[in-house]
Amino acid sequence: LNGAQEIQADATEDLFESLRANVDLDMLCYTQWKAASYEASAGLLAPWGEARPALERARRSLRPLMVTAWPREVSCKEGETVIWDVDVVNDTGSPVPATLMAQISSTKLASSQTVISEDIFEEGVTRLQYRTEGGGVSLGLSLLSPEGKVLDKGTPRQVVAGEPAREIFHKESSGSRLTARDFRVWIPDNNPMAVATAREAGFTIF
């Protein structure tokens, strides 16, 4: 169950951050406080009130000053340009002068840092765009004060190397037959039987 709860925690953080970065929303509401059972995926608390990992991630996602990045494509081929929506959410009650930094890591290239913006971030949501090349790229964000203090550090997100999801969808909608090779799956390293089964079926493991 620990693995399932970590997946739930990741999904909860993604949900909260995407909702907070939406300029058309004024609030968010998570509808299930307690899980109906230990096996149930919904709920920030276990049935008897113990905190699940999702509760801490939900609280973290409600911090007043938050940076987050979302790729417009979840997967892409080598050499393709991926556009990221980079958001600074400022609910502190006052403008914040800061430098927005990108931390880029790749399966093929050395990690690097670059400045996305040096600005005074007003209250509300400031959306910027950033571009990376190819799949297998992870983008993390940091917001630094003029003195160099870390004001916020965002959760890194990754673009998987492989056939773009839009092309898989097009293939399916056009009537072409999808095979296991059209999909990449992630399986924990500590589950060798599942890895072997997936490879035997023809899936690509990442």
Side-chain angles (χ1 to χ4, degrees), residues 60 63 65 67 103 141-143 150-155:
R60 168 177 154 73
R63 59 198 186 276
L65 188 62
V67 291
Q103 293 84 41
L141 300 174
S142 294
L143 197 63
V150 177
L151 301 175
D152 189 52
K153 194 173 183 66
T155 299

Side-chain angles (χ1 to χ4, degrees), residues 64-133:
L65 188 62
M66 182 188 78
V67 291
T68 183
W70 297 93
R72 295 190 181 179
E73 299 283 355
V74 295
S75 59
C76 75
K77 297 177 182 177
E78 292 296 331
E80 281 192 327
T81 298
V82 176
I83 299 175
W84 297 72
D85 289 322
V86 174
D87 298 305
V88 180
V89 181
N90 179 8
D91 290 332
T92 64
S94 60
V96 175
T99 299
L100 181 61
M101 300 286 299
Q103 293 84 41
I104 306 162
S105 59
S106 169
T107 53
K108 294 188 176 182
L109 301 175
S111 298
S112 62
Q113 292 192 32
T114 185
V115 175
I116 296 179
S117 176
E118 292 183 76
D119 204 349
I120 298 177
F121 295 96
E122 301 292 339
E123 289 184 80
V125 179
T126 301
R127 170 157 291 184
L128 305 168
Q129 285 187 1
Y130 191 70
R131 285 172 167 79
T132 58
E133 299 293 330

